[in-house]
Amino acid sequence: MHADPAADPGAVDPATTNPEPTGPATTDPEPIDLEPIDLEAEASVLDTADPLRGLRDRFVGSESSLVYFDGNSLGRPPRAAVERLATFATEEWGGRLIRGWDESWMQLPFVIGDRIGAAAIGAAAGQTVVGDSTTVLLYKVLRAAFDAQHAADPERVEIVVDRDNFPTDRYLVEGIAAERGGAVRWIDVDTASGVTAEALAAAVGPRTAVVLLSHVAYRSGYLADAAAFTRIAHDVGALIVWDLCHSAGSVPVRADEWGFDLAVGCTYKYLNGGPGSPAFAYVAAGLQGRLAQPIQGWMGTADVFAMGPQYRPADGLRRFLSGTPPIVGMLAMQDTLDLIDEAGIEAIRSKSIALTEFAVRVADALLAPLGVTVASPRDSTARGGHVTLSHPAMRAVTARLWTQDVIPDYRDPDGLRIGLSPLSTSFAEVLTGLRAVEEAVRAEV
Ligand SMILES: *Cc1c(COP(=O)(O)O)cnc(C)c1O
């Protein structure tokens, strides 16, 4: 595949990126600025200064030379989780058998939910619960929100969502609108950024029942101003559901302070819960009793073992559960929550910003001359934990890199997504990986 340089206005002249001295060096007060960029030295300085550098070794695989740019999609396993899983199998499951439910498992969705609330999403206790997959939990809270809003005001029939939201989010909105006689109100967005305040304000109004937005856009990494957008929804009487999949564990969320109604997030991404680990839902305390979710199961009832003739939802958060909680899937994430408690979510965000800034800087230096552009916000305050690099060859580049143990992922159109999990990624790893991207792009054009 060949890049058409004319089609790439973002290409940077290497001379601009890496300027050479033009005048007599002796007259320049800061000659250091005119030295060629030494990226290896920069990576080394950044790694040495990184207060979280010691935490990388707490993850399985950190000792290998593999470059992992997909911790935003499936986080590496914490080493402590290996031990926890084994002990669980022999002692808890094997030893306690069915007594385990009474002794601890029944409470685990709430215990871990509270830990996620405290460590990652700024939620006071009693509002966060671990449940089903993200897709199923989103369905439950979105439909509950739509039904409550529509019942209170029959004019409220619209669900607002953007055209570049994650597929499951868009499909759920379409399904719920069809099922409940509602309508979808789409927001158009730039795929290299995301929903703006103006676009949201233009889409919502007295017909809006509920808004569904991603806090960090899965494609571009665009970080929405969740506090401001929540106010925009509330100002027109709408409820808002936040998808926290690409922020939980990487970008601090202040669910209570920002006035969230509802939120759902993944635990197998930055919370390293393992493949298919269950999602969490946040339901603001004041809303819990007003919402009825559609998957009425025995685990959501006030008295689970009464096994009564009718479904009577529990008063609080329990009503958002449906069936038997997936306990095995809740084990590994507890070790990541320990690490987040140890590091602090603000320090994690600082490292995340430093990692993505370094990635953008390296991309500008090494890849822009080849026609690669940054398809993510350049302002770190508007960017989450990943950076997307765009070039027509990226699909082939991704396939080539995977055979070389450099693991980013590919997202249409032409996007190489570099996910930089702050707890388990080093600056040296970023540079090694992007040098491999440079070679792969050269090989593919
Ligand atoms: C990863 C992701 C999902 C995944 O949903 P699952 O039900 O776990 O497959 C949903 N929404 C967003 C925004 C995501 O990034």
Side-chain angles (χ1 to χ4, degrees):
M1 196 180 287
H2 290 265
D4 174 5
D8 195 353
V12 172
D13 180 349
T16 328
T17 320
N18 189 1
E20 291 299 324
T22 49
T26 47
T27 61
D28 196 299
E30 288 175 282
I32 190 106
D33 284 350
L34 299 177
E35 292 296 312
I37 301 170
D38 182 347
L39 294 170
E40 270 67 22
E42 252 184 68
S44 158
V45 166
L46 287 164
D47 273 323
T48 306
D50 170 18
L52 306 186
R53 66 185 177 279
L55 299 182
R56 188 170 184 273
D57 289 343
R58 312 264 193 100
F59 291 90
V60 174
S62 59
E63 70 289 353
S64 90
S65 61
L66 179 144
V67 171
Y68 197 48
F69 283 161
D70 242 329
N72 63 328
S73 233
L74 177 67
R76 288 182 187 268
R79 287 191 200 281
V82 176
E83 177 79 33
R84 185 192 292 272
L85 286 158
T87 307
F88 180 85
T90 52
E91 289 172 23
E92 284 202 55
W93 178 12
R96 303 313 300 156
L97 293 164
I98 204 166
R99 292 171 291 186
W101 285 111
D102 287 340
E103 290 166 359
S104 63
W105 305 337
M106 282 295 276
Q107 283 312 309
L108 206 56
F110 304 98
V111 170
I112 301 179
D114 282 347
R115 289 203 61 195
I116 293 171
I121 69 160
Q127 303 175 105
T128 312
V129 67
V130 179
D132 317 282
S133 69
T134 299
T135 300
V136 172
L137 271 187
L138 269 174
Y139 172 74
K140 287 158 73 167
V141 304
L142 253 181
R143 223 197 81 163
F146 179 90
D147 288 351
Q149 288 280 89
H150 186 60
D153 178 356
E155 296 288 301
R156 294 198 183 271
V157 290
E158 290 182 354
I159 310 177
V160 173
V161 67
D162 64 283
R163 288 196 191 277
D164 203 33
N165 210 329
F166 190 82
T168 225
D169 301 58
R170 291 181 280 111
Y171 304 158
L172 285 168
V173 167
E174 290 185 304
I176 292 169
E179 180 177 61
R180 308 306 280 169
V184 185
R185 178 75 181 253
W186 294 102
I187 301 176
D188 287 316
V189 293
D190 174 355
T191 58
S193 60
V195 177
T196 61
E198 295 70 36
L200 176 62
V204 297
R207 289 169 58 79
T208 311
V210 55
V211 177
L212 171 62
L213 293 176
S214 284
H215 187 208
V216 172
Y218 82 101
R219 194 195 311 274
S220 68
Y222 172 85
L223 173 61
D225 183 342
F229 290 13
T230 298
R231 280 195 300 275
I232 291 169
H234 288 175
D235 283 348
V236 298
L239 291 176
I240 187 162
V241 177
W242 283 102
D243 185 324
L244 304 178
C245 282
H246 280 281
S247 47
S250 146
V251 178
V253 176
R254 302 204 178 93
D256 290 343
E257 188 186 321
W258 297 343
F260 279 14
D261 302 308
L262 299 148
V264 174
C266 281
T267 62
Y268 52 80
K269 294 175 177 169
Y270 293 107
L271 294 177
N272 310 69
S277 65
F280 65 85
Y282 166 90
V283 185
L287 270 181
Q288 290 173 9
R290 282 175 45 206
L291 299 183
Q293 61 88 1
I295 306 178
Q296 300 185 166
W298 70 310
M299 283 286 162
T301 57
D303 187 353
V304 173
F305 290 98
M307 298 187 162
Q310 266 143 16
Y311 173 75
R312 288 195 206 296
D315 285 336
L317 200 52
R318 172 168 289 285
R319 67 170 55 191
F320 292 88
L321 294 187
S322 297
T324 301
I327 300 301
V328 176
M330 296 182 200
L331 299 175
M333 66 180 81
Q334 296 175 64
D335 295 297
T336 307
L337 290 166
D338 287 345
L339 290 174
I340 295 175
D341 284 341
E342 187 178 333
I345 192 71
E346 297 296 336
I348 290 172
R349 172 64 175 159
S350 296
K351 175 159 182 196
S352 170
I353 289 174
L355 284 166
T356 56
E357 287 200 322
F358 184 59
V360 168
R361 186 166 155 65
V362 174
D364 283 343
L366 302 183
L367 305 174
L370 305 178
V372 174
T373 56
V374 174
S376 295
R378 281 186 168 270
D379 171 6
S380 62
T381 62
R383 187 175 65 222
H386 65 272
V387 172
T388 297
L389 302 173
S390 181
H391 186 283
M394 284 314 189
R395 186 189 289 276
V397 164
T398 307
R400 177 181 290 265
L401 290 169
W402 278 40
T403 67
Q404 301 169 352
D405 272 359
V406 174
I407 320 285
D409 62 23
Y410 174 79
R411 288 291 179 270
D412 271 328
D414 300 335
L416 184 82
R417 207 172 56 157
I418 309 286
L420 302 171
S421 191
L423 291 172
S424 60
T425 307
S426 68
F427 293 89
E429 189 179 3
V430 173
L431 182 55
T432 305
L434 290 178
R435 286 213 184 277
V437 173
E438 179 192 3
E439 257 179 56
V441 172
R442 285 189 195 284
E444 292 294 339
V445 293

